[in-house]
Amino acid sequence: MAQLLTDGEIDSALSELPGWRRAGASLVRTIEAPTFADAIALVDKVAEAAEEADHHPDIDIRWRKVTYSLCTHSAGGITESDPEMARRIDRLAQSQGL
């Protein structure tokens, strides 16, 4: 089983993840796209990355705003897999100009 990160490790990871915040036992970020289609295109890219990593975010779609929530459910909180996936999401968003 994956090891939970300490509060200090989570704070350190968040210091390198602009736009992300801690919400309980999850890392959360909302990304707003210029159009609904752009938002869904990013969701599609994130889904591909999540399948590759076998680590799937909870995704809430509200028109052009998409909220990604990362938690390692099997470990009951935030593990290294969560900031890693957050970085992947950020890179994908950046590659789409978001």
Side-chain angles (χ1 to χ4, degrees), residues 9 20 28 34-35 43 49 51-52 58 62 89 96:
E9 290 169 328
W20 288 88
V28 178
T35 68
V43 168
E51 283 294 300
E52 287 176 15
D58 292 332
R62 307 284 174 150
I89 292 169
Q96 289 194 244

Side-chain angles (χ1 to χ4, degrees), residues 20 29-33 39 42 46 64-68 89-90 93 98:
W20 288 88
R29 179 176 180 202
T30 299
I31 299 174
E32 186 169 357
L42 178 58
V46 169
R64 297 179 303 134
K65 292 182 181 180
V66 180
T67 301
Y68 299 91
I89 292 169
D90 286 351
L98 302 175

Side-chain angles (χ1 to χ4, degrees), residues 20 46-47 50 55-59 67-71 73 85 89:
W20 288 88
V46 169
H55 191 65
H56 304 87
D58 292 332
I59 302 173
T67 301
Y68 299 91
S69 180
L70 297 164
C71 174
H73 299 287
M85 182 55 68
I89 292 169

Side-chain angles (χ1 to χ4, degrees), residues 1-7 9-10 55 71-84:
M1 181 178 299
Q3 182 75 25
L4 291 175
L5 296 180
T6 66
D7 288 339
E9 290 169 328
I10 294 167
H55 191 65
C71 174
T72 304
H73 299 287
S74 60
I78 300 168
T79 68
E80 185 52 42
S81 297
D82 300 302
E84 285 177 14

